[in-house]
Amino acid sequence: MASIPAQLSPSPSTSGTATVSIDLGDRSYDILIGEGLLDEPATYAGLPKSSTALIVTNTTVGPLYAARLQKALAGHHKKVLVTELPDGEQYKDWPALNQIFTDLLEQAADRKTVLYALGGGVVGDMTGFAAACYMRGVPFVQVPTTLLAQVDSSVGGKTAINHPAGKNMIGAFYQPQRVVCDLVTLDTLPQNELLAGLAEVIKYGPIADAEFLGWLEANMDALLARDRAALRHAIRRSCEIKAWVVGQDEKESGLRAILNYGHTFGHAIEAGMGYGAWLHGEAVGCGMVMAADLSARLGLIDEATSRRIRHLIERTGLPVRGPALGADRYIELMQVDKKAEDGEIRFVVIGPLGQAGMRPAPDAVVRDVIAAHT
Amino acid sequence: MASIPAQLSPSPSTSGTATVSIDLGDRSYDILIGEGLLDEPATYAGLPKSSTALIVTNTTVGPLYAARLQKALAGHHKKVLVTELPDGEQYKDWPALNQIFTDLLEQAADRKTVLYALGGGVVGDMTGFAAACYMRGVPFVQVPTTLLAQVDSSVGGKTAINHPAGKNMIGAFYQPQRVVCDLVTLDTLPQNELLAGLAEVIKYGPIADAEFLGWLEANMDALLARDRAALRHAIRRSCEIKAWVVGQDEKESGLRAILNYGHTFGHAIEAGMGYGAWLHGEAVGCGMVMAADLSARLGLIDEATSRRIRHLIERTGLPVRGPALGADRYIELMQVDKKAEDGEIRFVVIGPLGQAGMRPAPDAVVRDVIAAHT
């Protein structure tokens, strides 16, 4: 199993803008993390110029930030348009994606047009996929306004929409030109979305950095109180770990799959309940508890470590018990997971703490895990 | 302007299977051209193994060849499924694309599943785009059964679907694992589709190889009579030229756009008449006549050369006069062409014969060209 190199060990910065570089050859880009970045024209310096730009956002985030982003971009593009999509995972679908294409075509947007994704993971995934496909590829910039998007979905180039038969089944690997994480936008985040983001932050401890898990245990109260210095460090460290993993394996042929820790059980919960009923981060939080238990039952970590992960997730207020879908339904849903091969489910497991790997698990053990946590 | 290197000058082979290699680093692949390749299991040796494979075809080609391809693949995949889409450019759309995704998900197809595109350009473009997007990318193989697809759409990795507001507006650059051109499948091709394919074959002369244009003039009767040796050479030479151009510029940032000779006017004809009313190749044939005239009016070739191109296209029986949409409508439709930038139409022009380049043209000259050919 892989472990993250020592030179990436935590180096907290207490103020200013942090930059995390994603090294992917000619698809490299920077993640900027700081306060007030969204409004600052300098944030966008060096990005591709185009006469037309399109901000894609949703009906919740748009009214809060779209006009501010338009103003900040006024010197960079002649015309900055806005498309507002309906808000919610249930709209991460073809009709909403097609709305972006229709708006672009109605404005005669060409293949140099830059798209800006302003919102959470759904907006980011859809805008990225629209950018990947519009005229076979136009540049795009991520401006994530949720913690979840800042630490996870806006980093690494995975874009997608859902299919009624499976989450994120239709998509592309497509890298943004830049990611702009403005800590100030987290002020307006509903509490349950903050927690959903913390689930993904917590994830990086067990899979890659035991020391970071300790830092999270020590700083969870500050994070829950939205202390900006704590958030900056948590986001920066999460992005560093994700950047390292994605740099090793951009197309998810191996190592990158460890980022899906908690996601196999989590996707089954989301799909089983109908997309939108559980927040993605809530399902992942619960999925991590189940995957930790699975790792313990497979003898890869001890019971105490599994309980430690569960306890940290519980402290945030995230659910640690899945819906009672029945083991058969969980297993059926997990078999269409993208990590499955020939119908065999492959789980991300922990062991030792701070390292992760992938493996199948005996059916009986999986059923025990489901029984214990639903 | 670029000209194709001398080592790619014509070298007719009169029998056997010809191989043209497309050199794109880790996305390189071979084009096989020969008789009876479709039925021969050896044709598929070395392609990615997967337990499930899906042949995507249409209701015209499927009944002729799908069972034969299934049989040839029986030793390579455990399960070879078939999806039949409705036939026609008007079905190159989201509902048909989504049918492929739904069939894949219903069969629990995983990210190793191989797709086979069996049919013409529409099937190839849609299957390739489905392969690019399904679980963010699965391998696919082109088995083109039309001359047009064999010399053009199956080579070079452009995949797409249409949007009501524009042709091929939603797509990806995504390379196949192999292209299998079986000359025998051309026996069942309707005559108007043979001519549509010849339009794209003719294209390669003016833009890249004046000698090939001479060969076409000398061998047009044999091509129209479907002489296999003549077809083999025409397909091989077309693929060689396209391979060279695509190898220089995979993502169409520059040189590759010369392959769109005739396509700017042609797309306007297709869109203006409603997709499917004119065959793509018919529209391109007529578009080449218009683009040759434009080149002459811009002083890049002489009148005689423009007439020579027109005469060769006329000999095939392809239309050389566009529909009377009016100049305003032509220009409006050409402004949403993917090669346009900031609303300025960029035309592929010839000059001297055997070399091509891109440039805008004065509005009055474009209107003269439209008036003279509609």
Side-chain angles (χ1 to χ4, degrees), chain A residues 51 94 98 101-102 105 110-111 132-133 135-136 158-159 163 169-173 252 338 340-342, chain B residues 51 94 98 101-102 105 110-111 129 132-133 135-136 158-159 163 169-173 252 338 340-342:
Chain A
S51 63
W94 170 258
N98 197 38
F101 297 136
T102 301
L105 287 163
D110 61 32
R111 60 170 64 166
C133 297
M135 295 191 175
R136 300 196 186 93
K158 277 195 183 180
T159 71
H163 184 282
M169 284 296 165
I170 305 164
F173 290 98
E252 198 168 37
K338 287 191 292 301
E341 280 179 20
D342 295 343
Chain B
S51 63
W94 170 258
N98 197 37
F101 297 135
T102 301
L105 287 163
D110 61 30
R111 59 170 66 167
F129 189 41
C133 297
M135 293 191 176
R136 300 196 185 92
K158 276 194 182 181
T159 72
H163 185 282
M169 284 295 164
I170 304 164
F173 289 98
E252 198 168 36
K338 288 191 291 304
E341 281 179 19
D342 295 343

Side-chain angles (χ1 to χ4, degrees), chain A residues 87-110:
Chain A
D87 185 13
E89 178 82 27
Q90 67 272 39
Y91 300 107
K92 190 174 167 178
D93 58 5
W94 170 258
L97 184 73
N98 197 38
Q99 183 62 51
I100 303 173
F101 297 136
T102 301
D103 288 358
L104 286 166
L105 287 163
E106 276 177 2
Q107 297 292 332
D110 61 32

Side-chain angles (χ1 to χ4, degrees), chain A residues 88-90 92-93 121-122 125 148 152-153 158-171 200 260 262-272 274-276 278-281 283-284 333 336-339, chain B residues 105 111 133-136:
Chain A
E89 178 82 27
Q90 67 272 39
K92 190 174 167 178
D93 58 5
V122 171
D125 281 11
L148 177 61
D152 182 46
S153 51
K158 277 195 183 180
T159 71
I161 58 173
N162 298 330
H163 184 282
K167 190 174 154 64
N168 291 330
M169 284 296 165
I170 305 164
E200 297 280 352
N260 288 312
H263 286 59
T264 308
F265 290 107
H267 282 173
I269 293 172
E270 283 184 276
Y275 294 122
W278 280 52
L279 285 180
H280 174 69
V284 167
L333 289 163
V336 298
D337 186 269
K338 287 191 292 301
K339 295 182 295 300
Chain B
L105 287 163
R111 59 170 66 167
C133 297
Y134 185 67
M135 293 191 176
R136 300 196 185 92

Side-chain angles (χ1 to χ4, degrees), chain B residues 220-337:
Chain B
M220 187 48 72
D221 292 343
L223 290 168
L224 288 167
R226 305 190 191 206
D227 175 88
R228 286 209 186 135
L231 283 169
R232 186 201 325 271
H233 176 65
I235 295 166
R236 179 194 183 150
R237 185 66 190 142
S238 297
C239 289
E240 281 176 348
I241 294 172
K242 182 151 187 183
W244 179 80
V245 173
V246 171
Q248 302 293 307
D249 176 24
E250 183 181 0
K251 299 289 177 68
E252 198 168 36
S253 46
L255 177 65
R256 183 170 176 162
I258 68 168
L259 296 173
N260 289 312
Y261 173 61
H263 286 59
T264 307
F265 289 108
H267 283 173
I269 293 172
E270 283 184 276
M273 296 299 284
Y275 292 122
W278 280 52
L279 285 180
H280 175 68
E282 292 173 339
V284 168
C286 185
M288 288 194 290
V289 173
M290 296 167 86
D293 184 30
L294 179 68
S295 306
R297 286 173 196 261
L298 293 173
L300 301 165
I301 54 174
D302 58 24
E303 259 302 316
T305 301
S306 171
R307 276 198 304 272
R308 187 180 159 194
I309 293 169
R310 181 196 171 103
H311 180 63
L312 181 61
I313 293 164
E314 215 159 15
R315 266 180 71 197
T316 65
L318 283 164
V320 292
R321 184 164 288 279
L325 303 171
D328 288 347
R329 181 72 177 136
Y330 269 94
I331 288 167
E332 181 190 29
L333 289 163
M334 293 192 290
Q335 275 168 340
V336 297
D337 186 271

Side-chain angles (χ1 to χ4, degrees), chain B residues 23-91:
Chain B
D23 183 10
L24 295 168
D26 62 359
R27 294 181 305 288
S28 296
Y29 60 94
D30 284 343
I31 303 167
L32 311 182
I33 305 157
E35 297 177 40
L37 294 176
L38 185 141
D39 298 293
E40 186 50 64
T43 300
Y44 312 97
L47 286 172
K49 290 264 184 193
S50 66
S51 63
T52 303
L54 179 70
I55 298 170
V56 179
T57 185
N58 66 33
T59 49
T60 305
V61 175
L64 296 170
Y65 300 111
R68 286 165 58 177
L69 181 55
Q70 266 183 309
K71 194 175 162 204
L73 293 172
H76 202 77
H77 306 282
K78 270 190 228 157
K79 193 167 61 170
V80 182
L81 308 160
V82 178
T83 289
E84 268 191 14
L85 302 176
D87 184 14
E89 178 82 27
Q90 67 272 38
Y91 300 109

